Amino acid sequence: MKVFIPRIIPEAGMKLLKEAGLEVTVWTEKRALSKQELIDHCMGKDALLSVSSRLDAAFLNACKHLKVIALHSVGYDNVDVEEATKLKIPVGNTPGVLSAATADTAFLLMLATSRKAFYMHKQIQKGKWGFFEPTANLGIELYGKTLGVYGLGKIGTEMARRCKGAYHMDIIYHNRHHNEEAENELGAVKVSFDELVKNSDVLTVHTALTPKTKGVFDYHIFSRMKPEAIFINTARGAIHNEEDLKRALEEGLIWGAGLDVTNPEPMHADNPLLDMPNVSVLPHIGSATVQTRDAMAVLAAKNIIAGLKGQRLPNIVNPEVYEN
Ligand code: DGY
C-alpha cells in the first residue's frame, strides 16, 4: 500500500508507517504543491497524510480512489468534509495532543501583549533603550481579571487552567453546550456571546473555523469590548476581521491583541499590526513543540494504518462514512 505525504513530518510518524510495511513517498521541497501537483502525486497512492493542503471538492473528486486521508492537524476547515463523506473517504485528524502546547501559546501571547514584550524587544534592537521614564513602557496586570473563552473545548480549558492557576482569573465562556468539567474544576460560567464580549478583560478564541464563526470578531464586536481588553486568537485567522482589528486598536476600542493566526497566512512583513506596541504576532506555531508534533505525527500515522486496514480511524472527522 502506498502513502503520499506532501511535507516532511516527524520521524515518530514515519517510523510507524514504515513498520506497518507501507511504501511512503514524501515531498521534501520547501514549497507548497499546487492542487494539480498534489492530484498527480496522489495518483497510484492509497492514502494521503495531508499537511496544510486545501482539499476541496475538485481535489477529492480527482482523488476519490484514496482509501483514507489523515490530516496532520486538529483543524479540518481546509477540507471539504461533506464531499469526502459523499465519496466515502474517511478523514482523520489529531485532537487532544496539541491542547497544552496551543494553550501555552495563547498564554504566552496574553502575557507578552499585556507587557508589550515583542515591541520592547524590537525597540532595543533599534537602539531605543535609553532614558528611563517611570511613566513609560507601562503594561497592564492580569491578576483577578476575567478571561472570556470563545469555544471552551480542550484547548480553551487548558488556557483557562493556566489563567486560573497563574492569575486567579474568573472564567466565563461561550459555547453551544455546557462544559461541565470546566464549570466544576474552574468555576467557569457559561454566558451569552454578548456578555462574553462586554465582560472579558482577555478574550481568547479557541473555536473551529466554520461558516458560523468566520469573521465573527469584526469592528462592531470590538467596539463593544472593554477599552482595556486584550484579544487573543490562536485558532484560525479568518475568525477575526484583520482590518477591523487594526482599526479597533488604532481607535483604542480595545487595549491589545495577540495573534498566532492571521488572515492571510503568512502575514506580510509590512503589516501595520507588527509595529503596534500592544500587538504580539506569531507565525502559527501553536502546536510547534517537539513533543506535540511527534504526537500529532503518530496520531496521523495511526489513522493511515487503520484506514488502509479497512478499520475505523481512531480519530475520525466524518464518522458518517461508516453508516450504510
Ligand atoms: C491545527 O492542528 O489545526 C493547528 O492549527 C495546526 O494547523
Side-chain angles (χ1 to χ4, degrees):
M1 296 267 199
K2 296 179 180 170
V3 184
F4 180 64
I5 312 183
R7 305 217 180 165
I8 297 169
I9 63 159
E11 190 48 38
M14 291 297 290
K15 192 167 169 276
L16 280 188
L17 295 171
K18 286 179 192 156
E19 281 171 1
L22 301 172
E23 189 183 318
V24 184
T25 308
V26 182
W27 175 258
T28 53
E29 272 183 43
K30 293 202 188 304
R31 70 168 178 88
L33 292 169
S34 69
K35 193 198 297 182
Q36 190 54 52
E37 285 175 318
L38 187 60
I39 292 172
D40 293 345
H41 281 283
C42 287
M43 289 300 138
K45 306 292 189 305
D46 303 287
L48 169 66
L49 196 160
S50 179
V51 188
S52 301
S53 300
R54 169 118 202 85
L55 308 180
D56 59 12
F59 169 84
L60 292 166
N61 278 283
C63 293
K64 52 179 174 237
H65 62 279
L66 291 172
K67 296 181 180 71
V68 51
I69 295 176
L71 308 177
H72 195 275
S73 63
V74 65
Y76 47 86
D77 45 281
N78 51 5
V79 183
D80 188 335
V81 175
E82 212 180 301
E83 193 65 22
T85 306
K86 259 191 233 156
L87 296 167
K88 294 272 178 207
I89 305 174
V91 177
N93 69 341
T94 64
V97 293
L98 43 68
S99 307
T102 308
D104 281 344
T105 305
F107 191 85
L108 159 72
L109 286 169
M110 174 182 76
L111 193 49
T113 303
S114 75
R115 300 299 295 271
K116 310 179 190 179
F118 291 15
Y119 177 76
M120 298 299 166
H121 182 92
K122 281 193 288 183
Q123 294 304 98
I124 298 171
Q125 287 179 313
K126 288 179 188 163
K128 291 189 177 171
W129 185 358
F131 181 66
F132 169 69
E133 293 172 81
T135 57
N137 299 338
L138 303 185
I140 50 174
E141 295 187 15
L142 299 164
Y143 191 90
K145 295 278 178 73
T146 296
L147 177 77
V149 187
Y150 183 61
L152 188 69
K154 291 191 176 80
I155 302 173
T157 301
E158 287 291 338
M159 172 63 168
R161 281 196 183 110
R162 283 154 178 70
C163 293
K164 188 85 180 173
Y167 298 119
H168 294 264
M169 291 170 86
D170 292 324
I171 314 295
I172 58 175
Y173 72 100
H174 182 70
N175 271 16
R176 257 175 310 170
H177 305 292
H178 276 275
N179 182 330
E180 282 176 25
E181 186 195 352
E183 290 182 5
N184 295 334
E185 181 191 330
L186 304 166
V189 176
K190 185 169 181 285
V191 296
S192 68
F193 182 63
D194 196 48
E195 285 170 306
L196 185 90
V197 167
K198 277 196 319 218
N199 297 331
S200 298
D201 295 303
V202 176
L203 200 159
T204 187
V205 176
H206 297 288
T207 190
L209 173 64
T210 66
K212 277 199 181 137
T213 62
K214 190 170 178 191
V216 158
F217 290 90
D218 60 9
Y219 185 80
H220 173 65
I221 295 299
F222 290 128
S223 70
R224 285 157 60 199
M225 286 172 66
K226 293 184 183 181
E228 65 275 16
I230 294 176
F231 175 75
I232 303 290
N233 190 356
T234 55
R236 286 293 182 264
I239 297 171
H240 67 260
N241 179 311
E242 215 145 280
E243 279 306 312
D244 289 2
L245 174 62
K246 231 174 283 173
R247 198 173 142 209
L249 287 159
E250 276 159 4
E251 294 176 8
L253 299 181
I254 62 172
W255 195 81
L259 308 175
D260 183 46
V261 288
T262 63
N263 190 14
E265 288 182 10
M267 178 182 262
H268 293 294
D270 61 358
N271 191 309
L273 283 171
L274 294 169
D275 290 324
M276 291 187 178
N278 302 355
V279 174
S280 320
V281 185
L282 290 172
H284 202 146
I285 56 158
S287 63
T289 66
V290 173
Q291 296 82 350
T292 294
R293 287 285 163 83
D294 277 357
M296 290 168 74
V298 165
L299 286 196
K302 285 185 175 168
N303 276 336
I304 293 278
I305 293 164
L308 290 180
K309 284 185 182 159
Q311 296 168 351
R312 187 186 173 96
L313 309 196
N315 290 289
I316 180 85
V317 166
N318 54 347
E320 302 80 16
V321 287
Y322 300 119
E323 288 164 15
N324 287 327

